[in-house]
Amino acid sequence: MYFEELGMPLAPASLIASILLVAALALALLRIVKGPTPFDRVVALDLIGGICLCIIVLFAIHFDQQVLLDAAFVIAIVSFIGTVAFARYLGKGGDQ
Amino acid sequence: MSWIVAILLVLGAFFAFVAALGVIRFPDFYTRMHAATKAGAFGACLLLLGAALHFGSTRAIITVALIIVFFYLTTPVAAQTIAQAAYRRGVTLWPKNGHDELAEDEAE
């Protein structure tokens, strides 16, 4: 219902991009479930942060609102800090 | 212009999907880290370039440039930090990987 309002080139591109991003989220979540070590789970979590940034940018283009790009910036900062904190905690001998 | 934005959207989403596929399919932790960080950052930056071309305003272009610079500065740092922590905790390499250069450097 939303996709026809975008016009010819953007409507199928937005649909294909959203399908691909949801498939990527599902694959990264599968690696979080079956990862043998905690480090695999941290890498998959970092990738999920990147995919969330991609989805927010897709929303910004889709609903034509520039304000969502600031939310993407905040997501990038928080994802980086979380990844580094996980690496420090696991490297110092935390949860094996 | 709209066609360029559409092509950038599909390409960026495709590279993010390739990153997730690499995280699933690779046999080793280090190769998974490689695929996730590099391809994921590239796909996100393609999508951000598409957003900057779509809006075209000064504020959107400045925000997108900030995000791209920050992403390209912090993604290798995070990847190297996780890999160093995993190596210190003794995560094994893939057996077909050849030789371990870091162990040879620390043995000298």
Side-chain angles (χ1 to χ4, degrees), chain B residues 12-65:
Chain B
F14 175 72
F15 272 103
F17 177 71
V18 163
L21 204 65
V23 166
I24 277 295
R25 291 286 296 165
F26 272 132
D28 186 12
F29 161 72
Y30 301 97
T31 47
R32 279 175 211 146
M33 182 267 299
H34 214 72
T37 53
K38 236 194 299 245
F42 186 63
C45 288
L46 282 182
L47 269 161
L48 285 163
L49 279 178
L53 282 179
H54 176 261
F55 291 121
S57 64
T58 310
R59 176 165 174 254
I61 289 175
I62 287 175
T63 311
V64 164

Side-chain angles (χ1 to χ4, degrees), chain A residues 8-10 12-14 16-18 20-21 23-25 27-28 30-31 34-37 39-40 42-44 46-47 50-51 53-55 57-58 60-62 64-67 69-70 72-73 76-78 80 83-84 87-96, chain B residues 2-3 5-7 9-10 12-14 16-21 23-26 28-30 32-33 35-37 39-40 43-44 47-48 50-52 54-55 57 59-60 63-64 66-67 70-71 73-75 77-79 81-82 84-89 91:
Chain A
M8 176 47 209
L10 275 184
S14 178
I16 292 171
S18 53
L20 281 174
L21 287 177
L25 270 182
L27 290 180
L30 187 62
R31 176 52 69 190
K34 60 183 270 193
T37 63
F39 301 102
D40 289 315
V42 173
V43 163
D46 189 16
L47 181 65
I51 296 170
L53 188 141
C54 291
I55 288 175
V57 172
L58 185 66
I61 295 176
H62 193 287
D64 207 4
Q65 285 187 347
Q66 303 182 27
V67 187
L69 291 177
D70 300 337
F73 188 52
I77 294 174
V78 170
F80 167 67
T83 304
V84 171
R88 289 291 173 190
Y89 168 68
L90 289 174
K92 203 171 289 186
D95 189 8
Q96 185 67 289
Chain B
S2 173
W3 284 97
V5 172
I7 289 172
L9 273 184
V10 174
F14 175 72
F17 177 71
V18 163
L21 204 65
V23 166
I24 277 295
R25 291 286 296 165
F26 272 132
D28 186 12
F29 161 72
Y30 301 97
R32 279 175 211 146
M33 182 267 299
T37 53
L47 269 161
L48 285 163
H54 176 261
F55 291 121
S57 64
R59 176 165 174 254
T63 311
V64 164
L66 268 178
I67 299 174
F70 183 82
F71 219 62
L73 280 180
T74 56
T75 306
V77 174
T81 313
I82 294 178
Q84 189 184 26
Y87 192 83
R88 292 278 162 81
R89 292 305 298 270
V91 175

